[in-house]
Amino acid sequence: MRARKAGLLGQRPWGRTGGARGRGADAASDLFAARVYAELAEDLPDEDLGEDLADVLERYEPGSELGAGAEADEEFLETVREAHHRIARGY
């Protein structure tokens, strides 16, 4: 699990690039996004979240997990949605 988190922190799934202007603000928001993404990966250790949470939300098919009911599907989607919104808000 630790190696997976380290790998996720090295990725930039939220789509920011390190431009010359506003580098400090971008770095802070990148660190925050990495922390939220790592928390999400910890909450959902068996899920392959990929690099883009919006893509996960868009492509998720309810009932795709064996034995998962509608309640589990909604809980998964709500967890990913909240993480995606936290990253977008920046807090």
Side-chain angles (χ1 to χ4, degrees), residues 13-76:
W14 39 91
R16 296 219 186 272
T17 58
R21 279 191 290 175
R23 184 171 265 161
D26 283 346
S29 63
D30 283 351
L31 287 174
F32 175 75
R35 187 172 69 229
V36 171
Y37 203 86
E39 289 171 6
L40 183 62
E42 192 171 295
D43 288 345
L44 304 169
D46 297 330
E47 301 296 331
D48 181 16
L49 298 172
E51 293 186 15
D52 185 6
L53 295 180
D55 189 48
V56 171
L57 292 169
E58 184 178 308
R59 296 182 186 273
Y60 185 77
E61 294 182 26
S64 60
E65 297 290 323
L66 292 177
E71 190 174 310
D73 286 334
E74 189 55 41
E75 184 177 334
F76 169 81

